[in-house]
């Protein structure tokens, strides 16, 4: 059983009733893990097979960044590749579009992290590469690296069109990859694509804040973001 989890934002308690009640669960988290250590993932992994992509909040602090990229958990980040999970080829595009790097449909400012670093002053370089903030920015090279691969499902943090804040470049990527379903996080409102999905070759599902859905896009849990902003 493959389950798709919307942005946890540092809290994982809501997932346990589902992963503990079923056997052989693969849990795919759609970004914004917002960790401070690996403890939450280590504990959850006792009950399910965890995969994820990163979101914009995963480079907001050094602790959040290191919990993923500074640990063995970086091997479970699907960003930029296709993995086989319970017989399904799942591709991942983590992160968000940012104007200083690339804001489609406008032309990109930089093609890849190397290009960014070549034109950046030394004080902006962090740990030998792009600044911490831009470790979760999408570069054109991230999309180009996926375009020649094939997958059944594409998971993204950003939304495709026709979400009001979506990007057509994600739909274009899905078509090139032969994807039949897109699951995305980032937007906490569980945008309803059902009227649009009818008779479409590629179905789209927004799994919102601390929400959970199965591989058919059926919600098992709908979270409401009532945190103090």
């Amino acid at each position: 059983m493959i389950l798709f989890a919307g942005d946890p934002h540092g809290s994982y308690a809501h997932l346990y009733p589902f992963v503990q009640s079923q056997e052989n669960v693969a849990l795919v988290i759609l970004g914004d893990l917002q960790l401070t250590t690996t403890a939450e993932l280590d504990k959850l992994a006792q009950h399910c097979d965890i995969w994820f992509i990163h979101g914009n909040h995963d480079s907001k602090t050094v602790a959040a960044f290191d919990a993923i990229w500074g640990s063995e958990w970086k091997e479970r980040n699907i960003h930029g590749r296709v993995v086989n999970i319970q017989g399904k080829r799942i591709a991942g595009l983590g992160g968000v579009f940012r104007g200083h790097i690339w804001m489609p449909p406008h032309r990109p400012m930089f093609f890849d992290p190397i290009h960014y670093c070549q034109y950046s002053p030394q004080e902006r370089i962090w740990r030998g590469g792009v600044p911490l903030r831009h470790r979760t920015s999408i570069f054109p090279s991230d999309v180009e690296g996926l375009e020649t691969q094939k997958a059944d499902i594409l998971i993204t943090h950003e939304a495709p069109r026709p979400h009001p804040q979506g990007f057509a470049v994600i739909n274009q990527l899905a078509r090139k990859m032969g994807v039949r379903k897109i699951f995305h996080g980032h937007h906490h409102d569980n945008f309803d694509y059902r009227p649009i999905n009818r008779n479409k070759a590629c179905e789209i599902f927004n799994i919102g804040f601390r929400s959970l859905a199965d591989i058919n896009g059926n919600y098992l849990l709908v979270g409401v973001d009532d945190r103090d902003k």
Side-chain angles (χ1 to χ4, degrees):
M1 174 184 289
I2 304 176
L3 301 180
F4 296 88
D7 307 11
H9 283 285
S11 179
Y12 295 79
H14 61 289
L15 298 172
Y16 282 92
F18 300 94
V19 300
Q20 288 179 322
S21 63
Q22 302 288 337
E23 294 184 1
N24 195 29
V25 173
L27 181 69
V28 181
I29 304 172
L30 302 173
D32 281 352
L33 284 72
Q34 203 171 342
L35 300 165
T36 53
T37 71
T38 65
E40 290 283 4
L41 293 184
D42 295 338
K43 180 181 175 183
L44 190 62
Q46 297 175 32
H47 307 283
C48 58
D49 184 30
I50 300 175
W51 299 87
F52 61 86
I53 50 172
H54 55 266
N56 50 301
H57 281 264
D58 297 317
S59 68
K60 278 206 164 184
T61 67
V62 173
F65 177 86
D66 283 342
I68 294 176
W69 286 277
S71 74
E72 293 183 357
W73 279 107
K74 65 184 177 183
E75 303 300 330
R76 288 303 179 110
N77 190 347
I78 306 175
H79 172 72
R81 60 189 179 125
V82 179
V83 299
N84 190 306
I85 302 175
Q86 296 189 2
K88 296 294 183 180
R89 297 169 300 172
I90 300 182
L93 181 67
V96 295
F97 294 107
R98 292 188 172 109
H100 191 67
I101 304 296
W102 183 28
M103 185 59 69
H106 303 294
R107 294 182 62 182
M109 303 295 291
F110 304 97
F111 176 72
D112 60 19
I114 294 175
H115 185 206
Y116 178 96
C117 292
Q118 286 175 334
Y119 290 90
S120 294
Q122 188 59 40
E123 61 267 21
R124 292 187 181 175
I125 301 300
W126 184 72
R127 293 185 179 178
V130 299
L132 175 62
R133 170 179 169 81
H134 288 310
R135 297 299 174 102
T136 58
S137 294
I138 299 173
F139 286 83
S141 58
D142 296 319
V143 174
E144 187 176 280
L146 286 169
E147 286 179 340
T148 58
Q149 302 184 64
K150 296 298 179 183
D152 304 303
I153 297 170
L154 173 63
I155 62 169
T156 62
H157 192 60
E158 285 280 24
R161 299 298 291 172
H163 192 284
Q165 283 80 51
F167 295 88
V169 67
I170 294 176
N171 305 77
Q172 294 163 9
L173 173 62
R175 284 194 292 270
K176 290 179 180 180
M177 299 187 75
V179 162
R180 303 302 299 271
K181 294 179 181 180
I182 301 173
F183 288 83
H184 74 86
H186 192 36
H187 300 286
H188 293 183
D189 51 4
N190 292 292
F191 185 82
D192 188 1
Y193 292 96
R194 284 176 298 178
I196 301 155
N197 283 341
R198 294 192 185 102
N199 303 317
K200 292 289 186 180
C202 180
E203 297 180 294
I204 306 172
F205 305 98
N206 175 194
I207 315 305
F209 177 82
R210 295 177 187 166
S211 296
L212 191 69
D214 64 19
I215 199 168
N216 295 314
N218 299 311
Y219 288 101
L220 307 178
L221 176 67
V222 176
V224 177
D225 188 357
D226 57 358
R227 300 171 300 167
D228 292 334
K229 298 296 190 291

